[in-house]
Amino acid sequence: MMNQLKTNFLFLAMLVLSASTFLTSCNKDDEDEDTSYDVPSTYVFTDAEGRNTVSYTGQTERLDMVAEITSYLKTGNNGAQLDADKIKEMYRNIGDHYSASNLNGSTKQIFDKIAPSVQSKFDEYADAIEQASLSSDAAADGTAGVADNGEKQYLLDENGYEFTQLIEKGLMGALMYYQGTSVYLGDGKMDVDNSGPADEAAGKYYTTMEHHWDEAFGYFGVPTDFPQSKSDRFWGKYCDGRDELLGSNQKIMDAFLKGRAAISNDDLTTRDNMITDIRNEWELVVAGTAIHYLNDARGNTDPVTRNHQLSEAYAFIFSLKFNEGGKVTNAQVDGWLDDLGDNLYATTDNDLTTIRDEISSVYSLDDVKANL
């Protein structure tokens, strides 16, 4: 009799547990897979009248500004003397330094969009690259100048740092990644009106919340049909470069599409899930790209290309600071940057292996770290 009661009790307990698990699963699926509205396959959204509701021209202009700044900095690789004041004015969009007239005439700038904690660092980088460009010597340990291996030329400071990379890739982190993950997907930009057009008379058929989401997408900087169409610059380029091992291309694009559709249908639960997905996947691309350049530099005995690779690694590691939902602390990032050292000529392969393995461990990339 007691055995029968015990058996019945266990059966009922398992039944309750199974039902609970089923309901939990259903609830999670309801949150993650709301199918009551359509999610487009490309970043094209319209209102009920068929009018375009997507706009991120300001972000495109800022990416174009960074591209022009980078082109100017690279003239230093050919021996041109660079002007720090010009670089600082390009950050702030004063002085009509851009070749594209629409950028000079734009009300946009990049300096005020750089993460406030590191804005001054980019002015310091401008001073440093100007100083390096004044040297007429060949770059070597202790000497700034152009490093030339017969195939590649890079302007380096006396410690081997290539400030073109620190500025361009640093802006990818402190500007694009920061704005795309922490600012425009943050509470300050998401806790806003979503009830109707921001300004229909002015042709702004999007809600304020939709527009902020579009601006985050604009900082990711990919074609509207990414990854079917590729991007050859900034995060689209580097996301695609790691996609074979990380598989982030479609995940990030799907999250942007699904989150935008969710906002248009006032489904904020799904929106919030997609914010988490975007932050996590974008961060994985940053970490994976940092590991990629650490791998490139390990075993490379050519100081010209090695210091170029290490400068890129430095900038991508630095970029890990700018995700509000990131997995690492600023102290961890600063520790890895310190381990790279003040003098890249003195950085050993053992140093690089240690940094790579620590980053890989945080992001669970041990299975692919050697191939990134």
Side-chain angles (χ1 to χ4, degrees):
M1 183 63 178
M2 287 300 293
N3 286 339
Q4 183 61 45
L5 287 172
K6 184 176 182 180
T7 299
N8 290 342
F9 175 78
L10 288 173
F11 175 76
L12 287 171
M14 291 176 64
L15 190 62
V16 169
L17 178 62
S18 298
S20 174
T21 301
F22 174 75
L23 289 172
T24 300
S25 175
C26 285
N27 288 339
K28 188 174 190 308
D29 287 345
D30 286 346
E31 290 178 3
D32 292 347
E33 302 296 338
D34 187 338
T35 57
S36 63
Y37 50 85
D38 294 331
V39 177
S41 59
T42 62
Y43 205 88
V44 176
F45 293 88
T46 57
D47 64 11
E49 284 72 42
R51 300 174 298 195
N52 173 42
T53 62
V54 176
S55 176
Y56 48 85
T57 55
Q59 285 61 46
T60 301
E61 288 179 355
R62 291 188 177 92
L63 267 56
D64 291 343
M65 290 176 184
V66 176
E68 285 218 25
I69 291 170
T70 303
S71 294
Y72 173 63
L73 299 177
K74 287 183 177 178
T75 63
N77 295 341
N78 300 319
Q81 291 189 0
L82 301 175
D83 182 341
D85 288 339
K86 177 177 177 178
I87 298 166
K88 294 172 187 176
E89 289 182 356
M90 293 179 83
Y91 292 158
R92 295 163 174 82
N93 197 15
I94 56 178
D96 292 341
H97 294 301
Y98 293 108
S99 62
S101 59
N102 69 303
L103 298 183
N104 291 325
S106 173
T107 59
K108 311 300 182 186
Q109 58 158 304
I110 64 170
F111 192 78
D112 65 353
K113 297 297 182 182
I114 296 171
S117 61
V118 295
Q119 284 178 338
S120 62
K121 184 178 289 292
F122 286 89
D123 280 343
E124 294 168 5
Y125 287 167
D127 292 332
I129 197 170
E130 178 193 82
Q131 189 63 35
S133 75
L134 299 179
S135 172
S136 57
D137 296 325
D141 188 359
T143 302
V146 175
D148 186 348
N149 66 4
E151 295 181 354
K152 298 288 186 180
Q153 298 79 37
Y154 302 112
L155 176 61
L156 308 179
D157 79 348
E158 66 275 16
N159 294 313
Y161 275 97
E162 184 191 2
F163 280 87
T164 296
Q165 298 306 321
L166 269 57
I167 293 174
E168 182 193 18
K169 305 313 189 302
L171 288 172
M172 286 175 60
L175 170 70
M176 303 171 201
Y177 179 56
Y178 167 67
Q179 292 288 336
T181 59
S182 296
V183 176
Y184 280 97
L185 298 186
D187 291 344
K189 295 291 186 181
M190 285 291 102
D191 187 15
V192 294
D193 182 68
N194 194 39
S195 61
D199 188 349
E200 192 166 359
K204 298 178 180 179
Y205 303 117
Y206 44 74
T207 70
T208 301
M209 191 188 298
E210 288 173 332
H211 184 48
H212 289 170
W213 188 273
D214 294 343
E215 290 177 297
F217 178 72
Y219 280 114
F220 188 49
V222 299
T224 56
D225 61 346
F226 183 77
Q228 284 68 43
S229 293
K230 303 298 185 184
S231 174
D232 63 353
R233 66 177 188 169
F234 305 128
W235 286 114
K237 172 184 175 182
Y238 290 93
C239 187
D240 192 55
R242 309 284 86 73
D243 189 60
E244 183 176 352
L245 294 175
L246 301 185
S248 295
N249 278 359
Q250 197 66 58
K251 291 177 184 175
I252 296 178
M253 191 64 184
D254 285 349
F256 268 116
L257 292 168
K258 192 170 182 178
R260 180 54 155 81
I263 290 172
S264 298
N265 288 277
D266 219 21
D267 173 13
L268 302 190
T269 298
T270 296
R271 179 206 66 177
D272 291 344
N273 289 338
M274 295 305 101
I275 289 174
T276 299
D277 285 358
I278 291 167
R279 287 174 168 171
N280 289 344
E281 283 299 326
W282 199 337
E283 185 179 22
L284 197 63
V285 172
V286 183
T289 306
I291 290 174
H292 168 77
Y293 283 108
L294 292 170
N295 279 338
D296 278 355
R298 290 170 68 242
N300 184 356
T301 58
D302 173 16
V304 176
T305 53
R306 188 174 191 268
N307 286 341
H308 168 74
Q309 292 156 349
L310 289 179
S311 297
E312 296 219 57
Y314 182 100
F316 282 108
I317 293 171
F318 168 76
S319 296
L320 288 169
K321 290 185 173 187
F322 303 106
N323 186 330
E324 183 176 288
K327 295 181 183 297
V328 295
T329 65
N330 285 351
Q332 283 176 285
V333 173
D334 287 337
W336 293 326
L337 297 179
D338 287 344
D339 289 343
L340 274 177
D342 293 332
N343 185 348
L344 294 180
Y345 291 100
T347 306
T348 68
D349 280 358
N350 284 338
D351 295 330
L352 304 183
T353 301
T354 298
I355 299 167
R356 182 198 67 175
D357 290 352
E358 289 180 5
I359 296 174
S360 170
S361 177
V362 171
Y363 292 97
S364 302
L365 292 172
D366 287 349
D367 290 344
V368 297
K369 67 182 180 184
N371 298 316
L372 279 167

